[in-house]
Each structure stands twice: as C-alpha cells, then as structure tokens.
Amino acid sequence: MHCSYMDAGRCCSATRIEIPYPEQLATKQRVVSEALGPMEWAPAFPSAEAGFRNKAKMVVAGTVEQPTLGILGPGGLGIDLAACPLHERPVVTAMPVLREMVTRAGLTPYSVPDRRGELKLILVTGSPAGELMIRFVLRSTEALPRLRKHLDWLREKLPNAVVISANLLPTHVALTEGETEIPFTEKQLLTMRTNEIDLLLRPGGFFQTNTAVAAALYRQAAAWASEASPRSVADLYCGVGGFALHLAGPDREVVGVEVSAEAVDGARVAAARRGTSVRFEVGDATAVEHLDADLVVVNPPRRGIGDLAARLDASHARHVLYSSCNPTTLARDLAEMPSLRPVRARLFDMFPHNHHAEVLVLLERAVTKVR
C-alpha cells in the first residue's frame, strides 16, 4: 500500500506501509511468538490495509481562513492529513465539512509556539453504521456561542453526526482532551455494534481503534471462555464492556471494572438495553477485590498490569485472558505469574503498517488452588 502523505514526507507514522502486508503480518507473528515463548498459536487475524481506523485525532493549526487538520510539524506548524487513507470513509468524508466549520464559526486554531488561539483538536469517531461522534477540543468557553450558532449547519451537512460536543482543555499540555465535556446534542452515546452486541461509547470513553479486528478479538475471547466454562468472570480495565458483554451467559456472574466513569456509564446502559445482568463498577482495576473469579480478563494500557500480576498469581482464578497492545510488557507480566501457564495465544493486527501488535493470551492455573 502507498500513501501520498508518506510519499511526500508529510507523515511518517505508518513506518512499515511500504512492506507488503502479508510480510508485515508474518514479521509481527514471529516477533510476538519469540517474545512470549512456546504455546499454541492460532493463525494471526489480519486487518484491512486501508480504511480501518474508526477514530481520528486531528490537531487543528493554520488560520481561521485556512485551517489544517492533522498533526504538528517542525516549529509547531500544522500538517494537513485530512484525507488519511487509514481512516474509515465516513471519517474522511467529514473532514472538509469540519474544516469549513472552523472558518464559518471563526474558531481560531491554537498556536502551540505562541500559546494563543481557541481550537486545539477535532476528535472524530465513526461507528459500524456510519454514524459519527464529533468533539471540538477548546482552550476555553469563548468559542461556544459561535459553535452553537453554526450547529444546525453542521448537522445539515453531516446528518450522520449523531453525537457532538465540546471538550475544554485550558492548559498548555500534551494531552488530547480535558475533564470538562459540554454536549451539543441530546444524544451522547455512539452505538458501536460489534458481533450483534451494541456497545455504547460516550465522549471520553475508550474503544478499540479497529472495529473489525476488535470484533474478532471479542469472538476469540468468547470462544476460549466457553471452553473454560467459568461460573464467574471479572473483566478488569473493561472500558465500554466489550469483553464483559461478549462473555455474559446463563448462570454466569460477570462484573466489569473501569476507572473511566464515562465508559462505565455507557457499559451500564448497554447491559440494560441488552437485558443482561452484567454488573459494571467504577474503580481502579489494580486494586479490585474480584480476583477470585473463575476467569479474569485484563486489557490494560501499554504499561501492562504491574503489581496486579502478583495478585493474580496468588488468586484463585482458574483462567486469565490477557489482551495486550504491548508484547514487551505482556512478556514481563506473564513472567510474574508462574502459577498461571500460557496455553493459547493469537495475534490480532489492530494497527497495520507499524510495529504495534494486539495479542490475546489464555492462561491456565497449573495447580488449582483449594478454596
């Protein structure tokens, strides 16, 4: 696959895009299998080569009359990547409209070198049904009246934009969003239908970047869990409840724990709509008291689970499903759980064209602890 932005030297994030995709996948499989050691490996699950990213985090730069949507280059100048071929088509289609919205509403792009301006980023997420969540990350409330004034125009141009909000990030920090969210639409939940299950994403909630590959990841987890037949499941770092809702079943107690209140709110609504008894709690996954469930699911950030590994090793959990986006920290954490033996693994290529890899590992307790 070729990208005009890469060819022009405007973007270098997809560092392996020039390598044929089958070769990329084979290399990732070799690297992760060497890092994690011998176990039963299912065939790697591939991604589409283009149009697979459901979210775009576009830094806004330039001027009100000529804004750029993309990244910052040398000196803090904007590099426009509005037509990035990695984004899903509805996300790409929205970019010219959003660029015009910046001009119409007089939203001054934030200048990083000068520390002046109002609009820092535009965050766009696309659902499998083609609906959009659009969030304007602002420095202050100064531009809110102008955004509201032109909201009808935006919704007319993008009728698939069902969730629109503003986020306030007043400080000069390298963050994507702040703590305050101001809704512009009555609806504030984006439906991410995955394997016939409606997962509900609220602004600020986390969802996997690649919907199709995430669906395969959840299917595999559900299949391995079905074979293990747990009576109780604890889904730690549960996000919007992807694993928990896929692993729910008759006569099975399932609880999800997540630090993000926004994500838990969406998960609870999804569970209620589905009519399932899955329970979701707001809390620190590393400090929970649910480690004696028959099956524990962990899906941590790139830093891994840290001290939680030793607690899991000492728990009564018979199985652990560990979903990791960082094979290095995954290998470290597996070494800290000697009582739990890795028996199966599968690579899911959530992030084509770079070295990142999502791996799902099933661990089984070598000796069942007496309760």
Side-chain angles (χ1 to χ4, degrees), residues 25-365:
L25 199 59
T27 299
K28 285 188 181 183
Q29 180 62 70
R30 184 180 68 253
V31 169
V32 298
S33 59
E34 289 176 355
L36 302 181
M39 68 185 88
E40 179 187 331
W41 283 90
F45 190 90
S47 170
E49 294 187 45
F52 58 84
R53 286 187 62 93
N54 57 29
K55 65 184 71 173
K57 300 178 181 180
M58 311 303 280
V59 176
V60 184
T63 64
V64 172
E65 294 76 19
Q66 293 184 311
T68 61
L69 305 179
I71 59 176
L72 293 180
L77 299 179
I79 297 177
D80 194 88
L81 303 176
C84 175
L86 303 186
H87 291 142
E88 292 179 352
R89 179 48 49 187
V91 173
V92 175
T93 301
M95 292 301 163
V97 177
L98 294 172
R99 184 187 285 113
E100 186 174 347
M101 179 68 172
V102 173
T103 302
R104 279 178 169 267
L107 304 175
T108 306
Y110 182 70
S111 170
V112 172
D114 299 329
R115 301 194 178 191
R116 291 199 302 267
E118 282 298 317
L119 180 59
K120 293 185 172 184
L121 300 101
I122 299 179
L123 311 178
V124 184
T125 302
S127 78
E131 294 181 330
L132 297 176
M133 174 190 291
I134 298 173
R135 305 169 66 203
F136 297 88
V137 181
L138 303 169
R139 187 183 184 190
S140 73
T141 59
E142 185 272 334
L144 291 180
R146 298 196 301 281
L147 268 172
R148 289 194 175 98
K149 178 181 177 181
H150 295 276
L151 188 61
D152 288 343
W153 175 87
L154 179 62
R155 300 190 73 177
E156 178 184 350
K157 293 295 182 180
L158 293 176
N160 58 333
V162 297
V163 178
I164 306 175
S165 64
N167 179 274
L168 299 185
L169 182 61
T171 54
H172 183 81
V173 291
L175 295 175
T176 301
E177 59 192 76
E179 296 181 358
T180 303
E181 197 80 22
I182 301 170
F184 287 151
T185 52
E186 181 178 356
K187 181 175 180 180
Q188 285 290 291
L189 288 169
L190 184 68
T191 301
M192 306 294 288
R193 191 163 181 80
T194 310
N195 298 322
E196 307 305 317
I197 294 178
D198 287 344
L199 304 176
L200 301 176
L201 180 63
R202 187 176 291 278
F206 169 79
F207 193 85
Q208 296 282 7
T209 300
N210 191 321
T211 307
V213 177
L217 175 68
Y218 295 143
R219 291 195 302 269
Q220 185 67 78
W224 285 348
S226 179
E227 294 179 20
S229 299
R231 292 171 298 174
S232 56
V233 173
D235 178 10
L236 311 184
Y237 310 91
C238 71
V240 296
F243 284 106
L245 292 172
H246 278 82
L247 270 59
D251 303 318
R252 181 180 292 170
E253 180 184 351
V254 180
V255 60
V257 180
E258 167 62 44
V259 71
S260 167
E262 293 82 4
V264 168
D265 178 70
R268 286 171 174 167
V269 175
R273 290 184 183 178
R274 190 165 175 78
T276 179
S277 60
V278 177
R279 188 172 82 256
F280 292 99
E281 303 174 357
V282 178
D284 181 356
T286 64
V288 297
E289 301 299 326
H290 301 292
L291 301 186
D292 283 339
D294 292 336
L295 171 65
V296 176
V297 181
V298 291
N299 181 26
R302 289 186 57 79
R303 63 179 178 271
I305 61 175
D307 293 341
L308 180 59
R311 294 185 62 213
L312 276 172
D313 190 63
S315 74
H316 289 282
R318 293 190 290 112
H319 292 91
V320 171
L321 275 171
Y322 193 139
S323 181
S324 170
C325 61
N326 187 341
T328 300
T329 55
L330 172 58
R332 179 205 65 199
D333 291 341
L334 294 183
E336 294 297 318
M337 296 185 284
S339 297
L340 290 158
R341 180 173 60 95
V343 291
R344 291 181 177 177
R346 191 173 190 184
L347 166 68
F348 294 84
D349 197 16
M350 201 80 68
F351 321 100
H353 313 309
N354 59 47
H355 67 280
H356 297 296
E358 185 84 20
V359 181
L360 181 67
V361 179
L362 174 66
L363 296 95
E364 182 179 74
R365 188 164 297 282

